[in-house]
Amino acid sequence: MVLNDAKITQNGGPWMQLIDPEQAGWSSEKLEEARKKFEEIGSAAFMIIDRGAVVAAWGDCTFPHPCHSIRKSILSALYGFNVHDSKIDLQRTLAELKIDDLLPLTDTEKEAKIIHLLKARSGVYHEAASETEAMKNKRPIRGSH
């Protein structure tokens, strides 16, 4: 992998950037398809980082863009690598994994599978850390699903 000092910075620090992404296993054709999709959907910024080096970056990657409802997408992507490598079984339940919470889960909630959590279909309706009154009023009652 060949690197040079990147021209893209974040938080004041320089990123390293791949000179030739293909040397690191990236397809130039697929990157071009991704760039076209980025332009087509009107995204503000996009950056691919591989092992600490920028593979590609489009838009203004130095501007802090507010993001909403992105938690599920990021978690799903991170889980995907481990599912692909057979390190995580999406069919395991919270009970099997001995996962609980400060406000204990019910036996029914513990039957939720990892796949249900990732799809926000677990039936576990705990109060969120920064939940507003409106969110609280819309949240289903525990045990209702």
Side-chain angles (χ1 to χ4, degrees):
M1 179 165 53
V2 181
L3 301 173
N4 71 345
D5 287 328
K7 296 177 177 97
I8 299 167
T9 61
Q10 183 174 339
N11 296 329
W15 286 89
M16 299 298 282
Q17 184 160 6
L18 292 172
I19 293 171
D20 182 1
E22 290 200 356
Q23 288 183 336
W26 291 86
S27 163
S28 294
E29 292 82 21
K30 294 290 184 182
L31 288 170
E32 182 59 21
E33 286 177 32
R35 186 193 59 76
K36 286 179 180 176
K37 188 67 171 176
F38 164 82
E39 291 173 355
E40 177 186 316
I41 63 176
S43 293
F46 183 83
M47 183 183 265
I48 300 171
I49 301 169
D50 182 3
R51 292 168 278 185
V54 176
V55 175
W58 308 300
D60 186 355
C61 294
T62 62
F63 180 79
H65 298 276
C67 296
H68 304 282
S69 300
I70 196 168
R71 174 187 52 84
K72 256 194 320 185
S73 300
I74 291 173
L75 282 176
S76 292
L78 294 173
Y79 264 81
F81 295 116
N82 291 292
V83 170
H84 180 268
D85 294 341
S86 300
K87 294 178 181 176
I88 294 177
D89 178 357
L90 297 178
Q91 299 306 313
R92 304 256 336 249
T93 66
L94 298 179
E96 291 172 323
L97 297 167
K98 300 184 182 349
I99 294 174
D100 211 335
D101 205 344
L102 294 175
L103 178 62
L105 297 173
T106 66
D107 288 341
T108 301
E109 289 170 332
K110 289 180 183 179
E111 291 308 307
K113 298 177 180 178
I114 299 298
I115 188 75
H116 298 142
L117 294 171
L118 292 173
K119 291 182 175 182
R121 303 255 182 244
S122 67
V124 178
Y125 295 107
H126 276 212
E127 185 175 331
S130 58
E131 190 173 71
T132 66
E133 195 62 35
M135 292 166 66
K136 183 177 180 177
N137 293 336
K138 288 182 181 178
R139 181 174 23 89
I141 298 169
R142 277 187 80 184
S144 63
H145 292 77

